[in-house]
Amino acid sequence: MLLMSDPDSLDLHSPTQDAAPADNPCGEARLVHLARKGDHDAFGQLVVRYERRVVKVIQRFIVDRETVSDLTQEAFLRAFQRLQQFDPSRRFGPWLFRLAVNLTCDHLRRQQRRGRWSLFASRPEEWLTDTASAAANRRDEITVQVQRVLQELPEAYRTVLILRDLEGFCTADVAAITDRTEATIRWRLAEARKMFRDAWERQERRDQYVDPNSLSANTPDSPPTGAP
Amino acid sequence: MNCTQAKRLIQLHVGDDLNFAETQLLNSHLIQCSSCQQQHSSMRRSMTALYSLRDAAPEPAPSVWPSISSTILGQATRDRSFRRFNVQVAAVSVCSLLLAVVTIVQTLQSLRPSYPDTATLWQTPTAGPARFSFPPKIQNVANAAEQPSPGPQPSATGNWPDGAQDF
């Protein structure tokens, strides 16, 4: 069978991610086939295979946990409802992630249209307070700053950057998820990295210019302000 | 390779998106171009910062499958009941429509005046073929129209009206 002899046919693994979806592509094709026939349990197995990865991808765009959970559920429900439109000769993973990314981008656009982005959208700072190790260590600061810089990028470039560099999808998968050609993705990827580099350097310069000693003043090693 | 081409390759090289030949080409350029070396190192710095976000995602929430499963089952139940409901409504609607049509037809027939047949109404009772004739009121008007006009008459004084003397 073609799928069995082609281990890369479901190359959705990430260097930072559990590779569960790519474990058994043949089994996955069978599950998709059964789910298309209305097998509830088969679709359940697909959900269990992919849900962690889908949650992670959506979390790259949206920080609010409830919204992430809602969007994840909506993505799977939409996948179930549209299973008849799915082309079985193609891979299930990119199709599912395309649904999830499109839903997420639609959600972000709706938020921006409503003009409530700055009021209700979760911010990187919230993420920082959510993490267990929320202490203001240097790594968390970098994380927040990176998140902030990512938010400045245009949506198309941010999507490519997140999928390729943060989630580790290969270029072909990013092309399938975003419904673009691989050449377009390569071009966008180069542009996105350049944009990120420029924005990151601007951010660093801004931080140095605004308060060059703030970090050292707050560190435990430094003497308190006004101390002799 | 010029520096513009090299910069584009640098942007792809920092994410391991170059093939072997492209990497060789870029490396040969980097050896002799300090400007591109600086570009390469600054790009690497920013990518290192970006990669710090990889492991920083919060712990994923509990499985969403239970809620998805209940939603799917609920939708299936609603769909089934909706289909049943549709059949019933369609059947009842068709019956009601037929009943309404029959009732309307019967009502119209009962409201219609019971005139005799027009062919027998105006047929003369005497022998001979049926002849069309006007109804009684119209008949009088028709008879009056058929009587010859007396024509202009002289007034009591014996004068004819104007223009009547020529006749």
Side-chain angles (χ1 to χ4, degrees):
Chain A
M1 186 181 275
L2 175 65
L3 284 173
M4 290 184 73
S5 62
D6 184 11
D8 293 329
S9 63
L10 268 171
D11 182 24
L12 285 170
H13 61 277
S14 155
T16 63
Q17 181 56 256
D18 46 327
D23 282 343
N24 190 358
C26 181
E28 181 179 283
R30 188 180 54 83
L31 288 175
V32 171
H33 176 71
L34 290 173
R36 277 165 60 85
K37 288 188 169 182
D39 190 333
H40 181 255
D41 293 334
F43 186 71
Q45 290 185 45
L46 286 172
V47 172
V48 171
R49 278 188 181 207
Y50 278 100
E51 64 176 334
R52 287 189 64 192
R53 193 78 194 276
V54 171
V55 166
K56 273 196 80 176
V57 168
I58 296 176
Q59 273 177 341
R60 299 295 185 194
F61 294 88
I62 295 170
V63 185
D64 180 55
R65 287 185 177 182
E66 284 188 15
T67 311
V68 171
S69 177
D70 290 346
L71 286 173
T72 307
Q73 290 184 34
E74 201 174 334
F76 280 113
L77 280 175
R78 192 167 287 191
F80 184 76
Q81 288 161 355
R82 298 186 180 179
L83 266 178
Q84 297 306 321
Q85 301 172 19
F86 170 65
D87 181 2
S89 64
R90 295 181 173 230
R91 292 178 294 154
F92 179 73
W95 182 76
L96 175 66
F97 283 107
R98 186 195 297 184
L99 285 177
V101 170
N102 285 344
L103 270 174
T104 308
C105 291
D106 288 346
H107 175 81
L108 290 175
R109 280 187 217 120
R110 273 199 305 273
Q111 274 194 329
Q112 282 179 331
R113 271 202 300 272
R114 288 174 191 161
R116 297 192 293 185
W117 177 253
S118 57
L119 290 176
F120 296 110
S122 49
R123 293 164 172 274
E125 288 83 355
E126 293 174 16
W127 188 2
L128 181 62
T129 56
D130 276 353
T131 52
S133 58
N137 56 41
R138 179 69 184 152
R139 185 173 173 178
D140 284 342
E141 283 177 18
I142 291 176
T143 302
V144 172
Q145 285 173 355
V146 169
Q147 191 76 358
R148 192 179 295 142
V149 168
L150 269 179
Q151 299 290 334
E152 292 177 14
L153 301 186
E155 182 190 293
Y157 298 96
R158 190 174 65 214
T159 304
V160 171
L161 205 61
I162 286 173
L163 292 175
R164 175 72 188 106
D165 288 333
L166 294 184
E167 286 303 312
F169 286 102
C170 68
T171 313
D173 282 339
V174 177
I177 291 171
T178 56
D179 201 17
R180 296 286 184 278
T181 62
E182 277 194 60
T184 305
I185 293 304
R186 271 171 69 91
W187 185 85
R188 272 194 194 172
L189 196 56
E191 281 297 309
R193 284 172 182 160
K194 179 174 171 291
M195 285 180 188
F196 179 81
R197 194 265 317 265
D198 294 345
W200 177 249
E201 288 181 348
R202 274 200 306 274
Q203 169 82 24
E204 280 185 328
R205 281 198 298 271
R206 204 159 43 223
D207 287 349
Q208 288 171 1
Y209 176 76
V210 169
D211 197 358
N213 296 320
S214 62
L215 286 175
S216 60
N218 291 329
T219 49
D221 297 332
S222 63
T225 310
Chain B
M1 173 184 282
N2 59 31
C3 288
T4 308
Q5 294 168 329
K7 280 175 187 169
R8 178 50 54 99
L9 290 186
I10 286 169
Q11 291 154 8
L12 294 172
H13 181 251
V14 291
D16 290 334
D17 289 308
L18 291 184
N19 58 33
F20 182 74
E22 289 170 329
T23 307
Q24 292 291 320
L25 208 60
L26 177 65
N27 285 338
S28 63
H29 177 82
L30 286 177
I31 289 170
Q32 56 190 358
C33 182
S34 60
S35 168
C36 287
Q37 283 177 17
Q38 286 181 351
Q39 287 278 332
H40 191 257
S41 59
S42 73
M43 188 63 79
R44 275 214 179 278
R45 269 203 312 276
S46 67
M47 289 303 287
T48 305
L50 180 63
Y51 289 152
S52 72
L53 210 59
R54 273 183 176 172
D55 304 322
E59 284 298 310
S63 174
V64 293
W65 172 238
S67 54
I68 293 174
S69 173
S70 60
T71 307
I72 289 174
L73 288 175
Q75 278 181 350
T77 310
R78 273 200 303 276
D79 287 348
R80 275 198 297 271
S81 59
F82 184 69
R83 276 196 291 272
R84 277 203 302 272
F85 175 75
N86 257 353
V87 170
Q88 290 171 355
V89 166
V92 169
S93 300
V94 168
C95 290
S96 305
L97 194 66
L98 284 174
L99 194 64
V101 168
V102 168
T103 308
I104 288 171
V105 168
Q106 284 182 347
T107 308
L108 285 177
Q109 282 182 348
S110 65
L111 287 177
R112 206 168 139 193
S114 56
Y115 289 123
D117 190 19
T118 50
T120 58
L121 181 64
W122 308 119
Q123 193 172 3
T124 52
T126 57
R131 185 177 64 87
F132 175 78
S133 60
F134 290 107
K137 281 187 179 177
I138 302 176
Q139 184 70 56
N140 293 338
V141 176
N143 290 341
E146 283 178 5
Q147 286 179 358
S149 172
Q153 296 293 325
S155 62
T157 57
N159 294 329
W160 290 86
D162 293 339
Q165 288 175 338
D166 297 338
F167 297 97

